Amino acid sequence: MQTLKQLSALLKSKQLSATELAQSYLDRITSSDLNAFISVNPEQTLAQAKQADARLARGDAGELIGLPIAHKDIFVTCGWPSTAGSKMLSGYNSPFDASVVEQFRTAGMVTLGKLNCDEFAMGSSNENSYFGPVKNPWDKAAVPGGSSGGSGAAVAGGLTPAATGTDTGGSIRQPAALCGITGQLVLRAMLRISLAISAIHSRA
């Protein structure tokens, strides 16, 4: 797996297009059995990738342009269902983006889809989702941690180079540890997190 920095260098040197990169990850998601993703929208993803390619062609120097990302389903996301892992919100489509999704999209990142999580981010194993449990890519009989288990499993499994998560009592840190990746818990003051579906107060 390549890092975000390495992928960014490939995009800027035109060795790879954002569209090609997005399609390669969509193909991996389709063939995966980790149940890390709740929903994908290839048409929407590739449209964002084409916009990123246009920005790169104009010489836009943004570090994140064209890089794929997937979002924990706790964040409302225009173009994808936003369910918080719950049957209660099954099929809900938000007309707007959560602030964190908006910020990454404005920076030029390409959304691959929405990631599985414990229902309303309440759990520590990612077995409590209406859409079924997420498998740990290192041992499919093991849990990936939660509640951001879909995020941890997707990054560790090579389905996305980056993912968002939320953390109230370890929901970023635990999946990062169990899936063997780096999870960054940022200060609330550093990031606007409005429009996240939440049962309790959470730090992004």
Side-chain angles (χ1 to χ4, degrees):
M1 291 185 290
Q2 293 173 302
T3 65
L4 290 171
K5 187 173 182 179
Q6 290 169 332
L7 291 173
S8 180
L10 291 173
L11 289 168
K12 289 183 177 180
S13 64
K14 295 183 171 52
Q15 296 179 62
L16 183 69
S17 72
T19 301
E20 291 169 336
L21 183 59
Q23 186 63 63
S24 71
Y25 277 105
L26 288 171
D27 292 342
R28 294 181 196 179
I29 294 166
T30 300
S31 62
S32 171
D33 63 352
L34 298 178
N35 199 33
F37 277 80
I38 288 177
S39 61
V40 291
N41 184 339
E43 183 177 347
Q44 184 86 346
T45 295
L46 295 176
Q48 289 186 13
K50 289 177 182 177
Q51 292 173 358
D53 280 328
R55 290 179 63 175
L56 289 165
R58 293 195 299 267
D60 195 322
E63 292 297 323
L64 300 178
I65 294 175
L67 294 175
I69 190 170
H71 297 293
K72 182 178 181 179
D73 202 36
I74 205 75
F75 294 111
V76 295
T77 310
C78 186
W80 287 265
S82 298
T83 71
S86 176
K87 181 179 180 180
M88 186 185 303
L89 293 175
S90 181
Y92 170 66
N93 290 281
S94 174
F96 41 72
D97 286 326
S99 54
V100 66
V101 175
E102 179 185 1
Q103 289 173 76
F104 280 125
R105 184 176 293 187
T106 299
M109 295 194 84
V110 176
T111 300
L112 292 172
K114 302 299 292 295
L115 294 163
N116 206 344
C117 60
D118 284 300
E119 187 171 12
F120 290 107
M122 295 290 289
S124 58
S125 64
N126 221 141
E127 296 174 294
N128 303 308
S129 167
Y130 169 66
F131 300 95
V134 176
K135 299 176 184 178
N136 189 311
W138 300 108
D139 179 355
K140 293 178 182 176
V143 299
S147 62
S148 306
S151 302
V155 173
L159 307 182
T160 179
T164 55
T166 57
D167 190 305
T168 301
S171 291
I172 288 174
R173 293 162 286 175
Q174 187 193 48
L178 270 62
C179 292
I181 60 171
T182 298
Q184 183 176 1
L185 177 60
V186 300
L187 296 175
R188 187 177 181 87
M190 294 173 62
L191 191 67
R192 294 183 295 117
I193 61 166
S194 61
L195 306 178
I197 304 166
S198 184
I200 56 176
H201 174 74
S202 177
R203 294 182 290 175

